[in-house]
């Protein structure tokens, strides 16, 4: 089975012109990108669509008051029991002078019914603060519309809609009754202020999976409500003084001072959903496409662009466990959540946590799992995270485990035929197998590995005709091959699991000698560079077996381990420890072939000595997880700038 994932989802952003049409076509255009097994899907996919509410939660946080006697916490009274509690929440007592007090909560029927003081502490003021952790968010949904009318409470519709997908990209007209199984989209749906598009996808092999997150409709879709405006509803009294002047109206058309009450009717506000083709000269549209063929062919000329700026934000979400964000930690993206596990320096972890960015909520993973370690590899299969190998603080290990976040369950990985224990290795997911290769242990460095098939829980041997032994190298999966590079030897290789064969990679124009390589796969090229030198940065094109050199990377302090992520048009390089630098990140823009430095002052919450797990690209932004000492845990989100292009009809 090939797991399904979403690389990126976006509502088609088109600012519609308003024209005097008889009726508004009740069709909303949606564009998106979908992948199966890490590869852009092509062919006819089966989709299901529903417009749902943003979700409501009956959960409410409980409150309490504290009674102090001679500096001791002697009683805690519940003032509000809250709602939606499935487990007893943590109780935290804080005070400027006192310390040591602790308490446990009792719940019944989803409410906090009482709190028992287990340690009175000492030195407390008359009014310490008490915090009862909030319950988990449990949302309920309303279905406003679905393509076949069978969805209720946000549930999956019964039938499906065939949609053509090319290299992951697809476009569909929601409400277009010419499409099989597609119902009309009534404008009354948009009388609701918060409407979101929910989708399910089937690649023909794995059945339907719900795509996440739901996409909120913006003002463009609400133009469909234009034909419900009652004639005469917009009067002169509802137009701000001088808001419509003769300078803003085409020559020969009605002047602003000639608008009588009732002159603006619903017919005159009708939206042309086929924006471009019927637009009059002088019409202006915005598009995220720098070369919008539909607009250019309709007689539009691109004038200039405007850019939504980069955004950095930091948030704190409670996690009721001792899990820390650490170096050498596993991090995978499931399509809707981040799973972090293990890692650490002097103190290793055998615990993990799951973060859902759409709700800013954390939950711990099951503690019944593999032993503590760092430097392990991890891959996401579409339904499970598989970890393997690593270092347990004393020696390297040669075992692994599979974690299912839906059931919060760990399962062991078969040891039969598994590679020798190691760290410094790499692992990639092909869509059906995990390939482990390279690395080292006390006996030496490896140029061997094995392929793990989770559907059979078995290991398959790999060809021995491999590149030279190495550890600490980089590896990427292209969709058909695994590429490895560096890690001692200044060369690499290409492995095809179908033929179980290796091919060499040319070294002409490749990055030079060094350590600490970073790498990403762009969809057509592999990036490899040495951040410690800032000079040896190149892109490798497997189709031509050629390297091309990138401009010199700006110099900034990388700490003990830099990380990189590919956004779809840029590389973001960040460091896990600022130390002596005033720069927190560097961004390489593929289109302009240039680097941008991001000063610390533009990144919230940044400071010396902080550590984080590897960053995650969600398809819409980058997440990093900071631990600034102890259990101080922060989540930082980066959203890249979004260009919009201005077109005018000639």
């Amino acid at each position: 089975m090939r797991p399904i994932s979403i690389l990126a989802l976006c509502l088609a952003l088109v600012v519609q012109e308003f024209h005097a049409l008889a009726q508004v076509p009740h069709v909303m255009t949606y564009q998106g990108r979908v992948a199966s097994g890490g590869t852009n899907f092509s062919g006819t996919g089966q989709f299901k669509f529903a417009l749902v509410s943003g979700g409501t939660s009956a959960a409410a946080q409980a409150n309490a008051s504290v009674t102090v006697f001679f500096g001791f916490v002697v009683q805690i009274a519940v003032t509000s029991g809250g709602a939606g509690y499935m487990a007893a929440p943590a109780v935290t007592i804080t005070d400027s002078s006192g310390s040591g007090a602790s308490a446990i909560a009792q719940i019944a029927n989803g409410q906090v019914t009482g709190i028992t003081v287990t340690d009175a502490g000492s030195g407390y003021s008359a009014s310490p603060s008490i915090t009862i952790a909030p319950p988990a968010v449990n949302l309920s949904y309303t279905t406003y519309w679905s393509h076949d009318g069978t969805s209720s409470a946000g549930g999956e519709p019964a039938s499906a809609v065939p949609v053509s997908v090319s290299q992951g990209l697809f476009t569909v007209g929601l409400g277009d009754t010419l499409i099989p199984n597609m119902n009309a989209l009534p404008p009354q749906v948009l009388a609701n202020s918060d409407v979101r598009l929910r989708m399910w996808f089937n690649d023909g092999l794995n059945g339907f999976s719900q795509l996440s997150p739901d996409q909120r409709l913006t003002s463009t879709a609400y133009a469909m409500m234009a034909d419900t405006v009652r004639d005469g509803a917009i009067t002169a009294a509802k137009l701000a003084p001088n808001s419509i002047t003769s300078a803003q109206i085409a020559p020969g058309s009605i002047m602003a001072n000639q608008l009588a009450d009732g002159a603006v009717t619903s017919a005159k506000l009708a939206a042309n959903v086929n924006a471009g083709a019927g637009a009059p000269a002088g019409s202006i549209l915005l598009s995220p496409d720098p070369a919008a063929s539909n607009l250019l062919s309709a007689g539009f000329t691109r004038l200039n662009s405007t850019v939504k700026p980069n955004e950095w934000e930091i948030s704190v979400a409670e996690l009721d466990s001792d899990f820390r964000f650490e170096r050498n930690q596993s991090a995978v993206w499931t399509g809707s959540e981040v799973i972090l596990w293990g890692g650490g320096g002097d103190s290793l972890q055998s615990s993990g946590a799951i973060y859902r960015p759409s709700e800013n909520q954390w939950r711990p993973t099951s503690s019944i799992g593999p032993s503590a370690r760092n430097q392990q590899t991890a891959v996401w299969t579409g339904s499970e995270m598989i970890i393997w190998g690593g270092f347990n603080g004393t020696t390297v290990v040669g075992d692994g485990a599979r974690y299912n976040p839906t059931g919060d369950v760990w399962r062991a990985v078969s040891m039969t035929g598994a590679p020798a224990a190691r760290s410094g290795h790499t692992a990639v997911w092909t869509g059906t197998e995990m390939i482990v290769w390279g690395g080292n242990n006390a006996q030496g460095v490896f140029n061997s590995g094995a392929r793990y098939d989770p559907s059979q829980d078995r290991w398959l041997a790999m060809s021995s005709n491999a590149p030279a032994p190495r550890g600490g190298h980089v590896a990427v999966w292209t969709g058909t091959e695994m590429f490895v590079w560096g890690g001692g030897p200044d060369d690499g290789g290409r492995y095809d699991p179908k033929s179980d064969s290796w091919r060499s990679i040319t070294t002409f124009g490749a990055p030079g000698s060094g350590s600490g390589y970073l790498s990403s796969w762009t969809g057509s090229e592999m990036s490899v560079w040495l951040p410690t030198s800032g000079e040896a940065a190149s892109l490798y094109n497997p189709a031509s077996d050629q390297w091309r050199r990138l401009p010199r990377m700006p110099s900034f302090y990388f700490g003990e381990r830099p990380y990189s992520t590919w956004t779809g048009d840029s590389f973001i390089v960040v460091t896990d420890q600022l130390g002596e630098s005033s720069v927190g990140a560097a961004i390489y823009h593929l289109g302009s072939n240039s680097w941008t430095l991001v000063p610390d002052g533009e990144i919230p919450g940044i400071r010396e000595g902080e550590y984080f797990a590897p960053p995650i690209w969600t398809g819409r932004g980058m997440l990093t997880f900071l631990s600034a000492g102890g259990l101080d845990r922060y989540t930082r989100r980066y959203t890249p700038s979004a260009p919009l292009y201005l077109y005018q009809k000639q």
Side-chain angles (χ1 to χ4, degrees):
M1 296 179 66
R2 294 175 59 81
I4 299 168
S5 63
I6 284 299
L7 297 182
L9 288 175
C10 59
L11 283 174
L13 176 58
V14 179
V15 178
Q16 308 284 7
E17 288 290 299
F18 292 90
H19 303 285
L21 299 180
Q23 184 181 6
V24 179
H26 295 160
V27 177
M28 184 179 71
T29 301
Y30 178 83
Q31 288 182 330
R33 184 186 297 270
V34 67
S36 176
T39 303
N40 287 336
F41 178 80
S42 290
T44 299
Q46 298 296 314
F47 288 81
K48 298 181 180 182
F49 303 98
L51 295 180
V52 302
S53 64
T56 57
S57 176
Q61 188 171 4
N63 296 303
S65 61
V66 181
T67 299
V68 177
F69 185 74
F70 286 102
F72 299 102
V73 174
V74 295
Q75 185 178 9
I76 299 176
V78 177
T79 57
S80 173
Y85 285 95
M86 303 299 292
V91 178
T92 305
I93 305 167
T94 57
D95 188 62
S96 59
S97 58
S99 63
S102 60
I104 57 174
Q106 297 85 42
I107 64 168
N109 299 322
Q111 293 185 312
V112 176
T113 56
I115 299 177
T116 302
V117 177
T118 56
D119 191 326
S122 63
Y124 282 89
S125 64
S127 55
S129 297
I130 181 170
T131 301
I132 302 173
V137 175
N138 185 14
L139 299 177
S140 60
Y141 298 92
T142 299
T143 297
Y144 299 129
W145 170 90
S146 63
H147 73 271
D148 65 356
T150 62
S151 170
S152 64
E156 182 177 343
S159 66
V161 175
V163 178
S164 177
V165 184
S166 177
Q167 296 298 313
L169 293 174
F170 66 92
T171 302
V172 63
L174 300 177
D176 186 351
T177 55
L178 297 179
I179 299 175
N181 298 329
M182 182 70 73
N183 286 347
L185 178 56
Q188 290 76 15
V189 168
L190 299 168
N192 302 284
S193 60
D194 186 357
V195 180
R196 301 175 186 237
L197 174 61
R198 178 169 293 178
M199 294 179 290
W200 295 259
F201 174 68
N202 182 356
D203 63 354
L205 298 174
N206 297 284
F208 279 94
S209 297
Q210 182 177 331
L211 308 183
S212 180
D214 296 340
Q215 303 296 298
R216 185 170 185 178
L217 303 191
T218 56
S219 56
T220 301
Y222 282 83
M224 290 167 52
M225 286 292 289
D227 72 345
T228 66
V229 179
R230 176 178 55 83
D231 283 1
I234 301 179
T235 66
K238 295 180 181 178
L239 297 174
N242 299 318
S243 61
I244 301 179
T245 68
S246 59
Q248 296 168 312
I249 300 178
S253 62
I254 189 169
M255 296 296 104
N257 59 7
Q258 295 174 315
L259 286 175
D261 285 358
V264 180
T265 67
S266 61
K268 294 176 183 176
L269 289 176
N272 180 5
V273 296
N274 297 313
S283 298
I284 293 177
L285 298 178
L286 284 171
S287 171
D289 188 349
S293 58
N294 62 319
L295 298 180
L296 296 174
S297 62
F300 281 78
T301 299
R302 202 184 96 185
L303 301 179
N304 51 31
S305 63
T306 182
V307 177
K308 175 181 174 292
N310 298 317
E311 292 182 353
W312 294 86
E313 57 182 338
I314 195 167
S315 62
V316 180
E318 293 294 331
L319 174 59
D320 187 19
S321 77
D322 293 335
F323 179 76
R324 308 180 304 277
F325 303 149
E326 288 279 10
R327 293 166 291 170
N328 302 314
Q329 194 163 61
S330 300
V332 299
W333 173 247
T334 71
S336 60
E337 296 178 319
V338 180
I339 306 178
L340 302 178
W341 189 85
D346 296 333
S347 177
L348 302 182
Q349 300 187 104
S350 61
S351 58
I354 304 174
Y355 177 64
R356 179 175 285 269
S358 62
E359 300 171 6
N360 192 32
Q361 292 287 331
W362 285 94
R363 67 182 189 273
T365 64
S366 171
S367 59
I368 304 174
S371 60
R373 67 191 69 190
N374 63 18
Q375 303 178 51
Q376 70 279 356
T377 53
V379 299
W380 174 249
T381 70
S383 59
E384 293 180 314
M385 175 182 71
I386 306 178
I387 66 164
W388 195 85
F391 180 71
N392 66 8
T394 303
T395 184
V396 295
V397 293
D399 61 4
R402 304 159 59 172
Y403 176 70
N404 185 325
T406 301
D408 191 28
V409 174
W410 286 95
R411 289 190 293 164
V413 168
S414 171
M415 298 288 291
T416 304
R422 64 191 70 191
S423 64
H425 58 289
T426 54
V428 299
W429 176 250
T430 71
T432 56
E433 297 175 328
M434 175 180 70
I435 304 178
V436 172
W437 191 83
N440 53 267
N441 62 21
Q443 283 70 50
V445 185
F446 296 100
N447 68 338
S448 62
R451 297 151 47 191
Y452 176 69
D453 179 356
S455 66
Q456 303 292 325
D457 189 27
R458 66 174 182 175
W459 290 91
L460 302 173
M462 293 175 63
S463 168
S464 59
N465 186 27
R470 66 197 67 208
H473 53 288
V474 291
V476 298
W477 175 251
T478 71
T480 56
E481 294 179 303
M482 177 182 72
F483 293 176
V484 299
W485 185 266
D490 298 323
D491 61 12
R494 305 165 58 165
Y495 176 72
D496 182 352
K498 288 186 177 180
S499 60
D500 188 28
S501 61
W502 286 90
R503 287 191 290 165
S504 63
I505 293 176
T506 182
T507 58
F508 182 76
S513 302
S515 61
Y517 285 101
L518 300 178
S519 184
S520 300
W521 175 248
T522 71
S524 60
E525 294 178 304
M526 174 178 66
S527 68
V528 175
W529 66 85
L530 278 168
T532 50
S533 72
E535 295 180 348
S538 300
L539 290 177
Y540 173 70
N541 187 323
S544 61
D545 191 30
Q546 292 181 339
W547 293 90
R548 60 187 178 97
R549 186 62 58 92
L550 301 183
R552 177 184 173 88
M553 178 188 289
S555 177
F556 69 94
Y557 181 74
F558 280 88
E560 295 188 14
R561 170 79 182 187
Y563 296 101
S564 71
T565 187
W566 170 248
T567 72
D569 58 17
S570 304
F571 299 109
I572 306 176
V573 184
V574 287
T575 176
D576 73 344
Q577 193 174 14
L578 293 181
E580 60 202 41
S581 174
S582 61
V583 173
I587 303 174
Y588 170 72
H589 310 277
L590 185 62
S592 61
N593 193 33
S594 62
W595 288 92
T596 297
L597 289 178
V598 183
D600 295 355
E602 296 181 14
I603 305 177
I606 203 164
R607 55 181 176 265
E608 283 190 20
E610 65 185 13
Y611 299 96
F612 57 70
I616 290 290
W617 181 254
T618 68
R620 303 180 65 180
M622 180 183 72
L623 299 174
T624 57
F625 306 99
L626 318 175
S627 184
L631 294 178
D632 295 334
R633 296 168 296 210
Y634 308 93
T635 302
R636 183 185 295 133
R637 186 194 309 261
Y638 167 73
T639 305
S641 60
L644 297 176
Y645 300 93
L646 188 67
Y647 292 83
Q648 185 174 37
K649 183 72 172 285
Q650 301 303 305

